[in-house]
Amino acid sequence: NAGVTQTPKFQVLKTGQSMTLQCAQDMNHNSMYWYRQDPGMGLRLIYYSASEGTTDKGEVPNGYNVSRLNKREFSLRLESAAPSQTSVYFCASGQTRITDTQYFGPGTRLTVL
Amino acid sequence: EDQVTQSPEALRLQEGESSSLNCSYTVSGLRGLFWYRQDPGKGPEFLFTLYSAGEEKEKERLKATLTKKESFLHITAPKPEDSATYLCAVHPDRGGGNKLTFGTGTQLKVEL
């Protein structure tokens, strides 16, 4: 099992450009999550999907959109990138029980110039 | 508002020098508390879940404990390969979804 995979690993954008971060999991999990990690801020939830066909905002959703393409895949889109979106982005997945463990991907390091 | 505070921010130990990392939390109710390990340039790796005060879990040189206000990650006789950032997260007992609130982590370095 590959677990949670993310592409690309690194990306540099110019302000105003758009891009989509891809995430896939092969653990048959129902829930998927997108986080960003910034120095001194900890991991913050951007969006999550409790099950296929549903998505909800997290703590910091502004400037992002998501798509739960199917049970395996959950993408994060930046429509018009801003320097404030420079960060490391992590995708995670888990079952949707009362408290389930979230398993993380390796991350995408994004720089917006 | 849910809060998670980890201390110290950074810790340097000699190999074999045992110590503890602290995670203090404020939530309306706790469904679960999680510990993760994160190596530089990698995603967080799951270590433990604790559900109720008094619970303890162990894995190799690590032992996690939970009280009503904090959790400790005890590291016994650490080795250099234990060097990493350790993250604590809580799952509040309210609302829908499985949304975690993370602390900012403790950066541990174990030296020979």
Side-chain angles (χ1 to χ4, degrees):
Chain A
N1 283 356
V4 179
T5 57
Q6 293 182 238
T7 55
K9 285 187 167 47
F10 301 94
Q11 184 71 48
V12 179
L13 293 177
K14 294 181 180 178
T15 297
Q17 288 185 318
S18 62
M19 80 160 294
T20 300
L21 282 64
Q22 306 285 355
C23 173
Q25 52 94 5
D26 63 1
M27 296 177 281
N28 200 35
H29 286 161
N30 292 321
S31 302
M32 296 187 74
Y33 310 82
W34 276 106
Y35 291 88
R36 61 178 288 173
Q37 187 174 42
D38 302 290
M41 299 289 290
L43 282 156
R44 292 181 292 169
L45 183 65
I46 305 171
Y47 270 94
Y48 71 101
S49 170
S51 62
E52 188 178 350
T54 68
T55 60
D56 280 292
K57 295 178 181 179
E59 182 185 353
V60 288
N62 291 346
Y64 305 95
N65 286 300
V66 290
S67 295
R68 183 75 183 266
L69 304 170
N70 47 55
K71 191 171 186 178
R72 290 187 62 248
E73 298 173 288
F74 189 37
S75 63
L76 178 72
R77 182 159 179 84
L78 287 69
E79 290 290 352
S80 179
S84 60
Q85 295 178 304
T86 293
S87 187
V88 182
Y89 291 86
F90 290 100
C91 177
S93 72
Q95 292 291 8
T96 312
R97 290 187 287 263
I98 290 179
T99 298
D100 67 29
T101 297
Q102 294 181 21
Y103 296 90
F104 285 79
T108 294
R109 186 173 294 272
L110 175 67
T111 301
V112 182
L113 301 175
Chain B
E1 183 182 330
D2 305 319
Q3 282 195 322
V4 178
T5 303
Q6 292 188 245
S7 61
E9 288 186 13
L11 180 63
R12 181 171 286 185
L13 299 173
Q14 296 295 311
E15 185 176 13
E17 180 186 2
S18 301
S19 188
S20 295
L21 313 182
N22 177 263
C23 171
S24 297
Y25 61 90
T26 305
V27 294
S28 55
L30 183 70
R31 288 190 181 180
L33 184 142
F34 300 83
W35 282 98
Y36 286 85
R37 169 194 170 122
Q38 186 174 24
D39 293 298
K42 303 280 183 67
E45 175 189 345
F46 171 71
L47 292 174
F48 304 108
T49 308
L50 301 168
Y51 295 100
S52 57
E55 189 175 1
E56 298 182 353
K57 288 194 176 173
E58 288 188 66
K59 179 180 179 180
E60 296 180 359
R61 294 176 292 282
L62 301 177
K63 184 167 92 171
T65 62
L66 181 65
T67 73
K68 288 188 176 179
K69 292 188 176 181
E70 56 192 353
S71 177
F72 292 93
L73 185 65
H74 307 277
I75 303 177
T76 301
K79 298 182 177 182
E81 54 261 42
D82 295 321
S83 298
T85 296
Y86 291 85
L87 303 174
C88 170
V90 296
H91 181 196
D93 184 17
R94 60 161 167 70
N98 189 6
K99 292 182 278 190
L100 302 183
T101 298
F102 280 83
T104 53
T106 293
Q107 191 172 355
L108 173 66
K109 183 165 177 60
V110 182
E111 299 172 331
L112 291 169

